[in-house]
């Protein structure tokens, strides 16, 4: 006998919830204002099954990560779920799925005892739907079956990322599932009480890329991108021409960097593409050229030695220096100082082999300082061993709060 949805109950969790259709505290009028950070949810029931879908970021920006959590429970008559399909908003790209369920009869089984679901969770490229399957060895409810037992509860967690090119506007979401002994799919699409949208990013960004002017095949060099404003959230994808270099790197304090080894000679045009989140716009850097060549037997090895103090104080300038040598050869290329892999100041021409900068540490704690020499025609690159500088907070002055100094420093070259 076919079963139909018998009743539906709806609850919506919003700070200062108002009547449906009215704006509540923390919500927005689309196209302006500040997007709500409060989760929303809707609960539905069918027969003796209750299902609740909650979305943690209902008014997301392109590039945001959004988590959709579904909880299911059955009371009284045992219910075994065969499949569940999540129907996310348009332009939501699946990142991961986690299911915490009981398999089998709930006695001989256990939470995820036979796996959280069968096969792999993939997203339909057209509809965006994500389907989970618990049919296992067949449609049966005996102890050896592997269906999901809803009487023990089930929690399904879907993590999505809003596509960087998602157009702003309202969104809908839904869900559906099939239960053993039901002859119809239980479907709610859309879940009409979930008020969702993709917002227009409002804070403009700029991105610049820093690369060495030259490199040798097989030698790692550092690629770095600086995003402004420094509080921008998102990630940077480095590219060599049209080809991605590795995975996207999260931006921290306005900087993203990674090591990279070129495997072909020639001129390489490196760019950095910033994908913003939390209201920051996307931006792309201009290209920067790296001339890559292969070391020959005639090339001279170089040595880089760095000198740094063991201790420093926030707000007080210290000198970092490097000495580069290459068996009497002329020294082409540049030197770059780093703090935990993040560039400090600009690249500096090597000159006579001694380079220094005056640097003000912005924060207390251990800082791992290093320096790298790019090398160039006839000379191989090299890097110093990292050194740890222990940085203390500035002492509090009587009647004052002390000084945090500045992020920058005075940069220069000795003998350059």
């Amino acid at each position: 006998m076919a079963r139909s949805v018998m009743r539906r109950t709806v609850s919506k969790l919003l700070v200062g919830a108002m009547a449906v259709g009215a704006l509540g505290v923390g919500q927005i009028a689309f196209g302006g204002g500040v997007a709500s950070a409060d989760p929303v949810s809707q609960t539905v029931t069918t027969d003796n099954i209750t299902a609740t879908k909650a979305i943690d970021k209902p008014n997301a920006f392109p590039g945001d990560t959004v988590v959709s959590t579904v909880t299911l429970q059955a009371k009284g008559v045992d219910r075994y779920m065969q499949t569940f399909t999540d129907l996310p908003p348009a332009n939501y790209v699946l990142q991961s799925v986690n299911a915490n369920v009981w398999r089998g009869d709930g006695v001989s089984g256990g939470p995820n005892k036979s796996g959280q679901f069968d096969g792999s969770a993939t997203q339909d490229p057209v509809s965006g739907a994500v389907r989970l399957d618990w049919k296992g060895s067949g449609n049966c409810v005996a102890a050896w079956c592997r269906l999901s037992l809803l009487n023990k509860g089930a929690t399904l967690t879907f993590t999505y990322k809003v596509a960087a090119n998602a157009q702003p506007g309202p969104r809908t979401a839904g869900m559906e599932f099939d239960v053993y002994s039901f002859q119809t799919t239980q479907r709610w699409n859309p879940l009409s009480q979930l008020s969702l949208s993709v917002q227009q990013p409002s804070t403009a960004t700029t991105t610049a890329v820093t690369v060495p002017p030259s490199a040798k095949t097989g030698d790692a060099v550092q690629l770095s991108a600086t995003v402004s404003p420094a509080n921008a959230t998102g990630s940077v994808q480095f590219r060599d021409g049209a080809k991605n270099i590795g995975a996207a790197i999260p931006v921290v304090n306005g900087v993203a960097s990674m090591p990279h080894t070129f495997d072909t000679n020639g001129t390489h045009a490196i760019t950095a593409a910033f994908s913003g989140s939390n209201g920051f716009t996307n931006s792309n850097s201009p290209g920067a050229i790296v001339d890559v060549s292969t070391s020959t037997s005639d090339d001279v090895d170089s040595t880089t030695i760095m000198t740094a103090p063991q201790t420093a104080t926030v707000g007080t300038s210290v000198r970092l220096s490097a000495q580069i040598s290459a068996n009497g050869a002329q020294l082409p290329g540049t030197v770059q100082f780093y703090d935990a892999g993040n560039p400090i100041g600009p690249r500096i021409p090597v000159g006579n082999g001694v380079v220094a900068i005056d640097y003000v540490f912005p924060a207390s704690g251990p800082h791992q300082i290093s320096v790298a020499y790019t090398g160039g025609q006839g000379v191989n690159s090299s890097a110093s061993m990292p050194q740890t500088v222990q940085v203390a907070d500035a002492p509090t002055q009587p009647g004052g709060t002390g000084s945090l100094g500045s992020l920058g420093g005075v940069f220069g070259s000795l003998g350059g």
Side-chain angles (χ1 to χ4, degrees):
M1 175 179 180
R3 294 176 183 263
S4 60
V5 175
M6 306 225 10
R7 60 190 183 281
R8 301 182 183 182
T9 62
V10 176
S11 65
K12 185 176 182 182
L13 305 178
L14 285 173
V15 175
M18 306 291 285
V20 175
L23 289 177
V25 176
Q27 290 181 268
I28 62 155
F30 183 75
V34 179
S36 167
D38 303 307
V40 295
S41 69
Q42 180 171 342
T43 299
V44 295
T45 61
T46 176
D47 204 283
N48 65 325
I49 300 172
T50 298
T52 299
K53 182 170 183 173
I55 296 179
D56 72 333
K57 195 176 292 185
N59 301 304
F61 293 97
D64 281 358
T65 297
V66 180
V67 178
S68 175
T69 304
V70 177
T71 55
L72 300 106
Q73 185 70 51
K75 294 183 179 180
V77 180
D78 287 350
R79 295 300 184 200
Y80 296 86
M81 187 166 64
Q82 298 172 299
T83 66
F84 181 93
T85 302
D86 193 53
L87 305 172
N91 310 121
Y92 279 46
V93 181
L94 181 68
Q95 305 297 300
S96 64
V97 181
N98 181 71
N100 187 12
V101 300
W102 280 76
R103 306 296 296 268
D105 64 355
V107 177
S108 60
N112 295 342
K113 184 172 182 179
S114 300
Q116 56 177 347
F117 46 80
D118 300 324
S120 60
T122 58
Q123 187 171 31
D124 185 277
V126 177
S127 69
V130 180
R131 174 179 162 126
L132 307 182
D133 194 302
W134 288 272
K135 291 184 179 180
S137 58
N139 294 332
C140 59
V141 293
W144 57 85
C145 292
R146 300 175 60 194
L147 306 182
S148 172
L149 176 59
L150 296 184
N151 299 66
K152 288 287 189 176
T155 302
L156 315 178
T157 304
F158 301 83
T159 301
Y160 298 96
K161 188 171 184 178
V162 184
N165 61 353
Q167 294 300 306
R171 293 294 194 275
T172 61
M175 62 180 175
E176 60 184 45
F177 53 83
D178 290 294
V179 173
Y180 178 83
S181 79
F182 284 17
Q183 298 181 22
T184 58
T185 297
Q186 310 302 294
R187 180 181 293 110
W188 298 267
N189 188 33
L191 286 161
S192 59
Q193 300 305 310
L194 294 181
S195 180
L196 308 175
S197 67
V198 172
Q199 296 298 296
Q200 176 70 51
S202 57
T203 303
T205 68
T206 59
T207 300
V209 68
T210 301
V211 299
S214 60
K216 299 286 188 176
T217 56
D219 292 343
V221 296
Q222 198 77 5
L223 310 179
S224 179
T226 302
V227 179
S228 181
N231 66 334
T233 57
S235 61
V236 163
Q237 177 66 64
F238 291 96
R239 295 191 176 101
D240 184 349
K243 181 181 178 181
N244 287 344
I245 300 175
I249 307 297
V251 173
V252 179
N253 297 326
V255 176
S257 62
M258 67 175 293
H260 177 60
T261 301
F262 292 97
D263 55 12
T264 59
N265 291 340
T267 299
H268 294 254
I270 306 302
T271 57
F274 172 67
S275 296
S277 62
N278 296 322
F280 290 95
T281 63
N282 302 337
S283 56
N284 296 287
S285 75
I289 299 300
V290 182
D291 289 319
V292 181
S293 60
T294 299
S295 295
T296 69
S297 59
D298 296 330
D299 287 351
V300 177
D301 289 335
S302 66
T303 301
T304 299
I305 299 175
M306 185 187 67
T307 301
Q310 293 183 336
T311 60
T313 302
V314 171
T316 301
S317 176
V318 297
R319 176 149 289 199
L320 309 175
S321 63
Q323 182 171 346
I324 297 90
S325 58
N327 295 328
Q330 294 294 317
L331 294 170
T334 60
V335 163
Q336 177 71 64
F337 288 87
Y338 295 95
D339 183 350
N342 296 317
I344 298 174
R347 290 190 170 276
I348 305 171
V350 177
N352 66 358
V354 180
V355 176
I357 63 171
D358 293 319
Y359 181 60
V360 178
F361 285 96
S364 61
H367 290 253
Q368 192 175 66
I369 306 301
S370 61
V371 62
Y373 165 56
T374 62
Q377 186 66 39
V379 181
N380 294 324
S381 62
S382 59
S384 71
M385 295 293 292
Q387 298 181 37
T388 299
V389 179
Q390 295 290 342
V391 181
D393 286 318
T396 301
Q397 301 297 323
T401 59
S403 174
L404 291 179
S406 69
L407 290 176
V410 180
F411 304 96
S413 172
L414 299 181

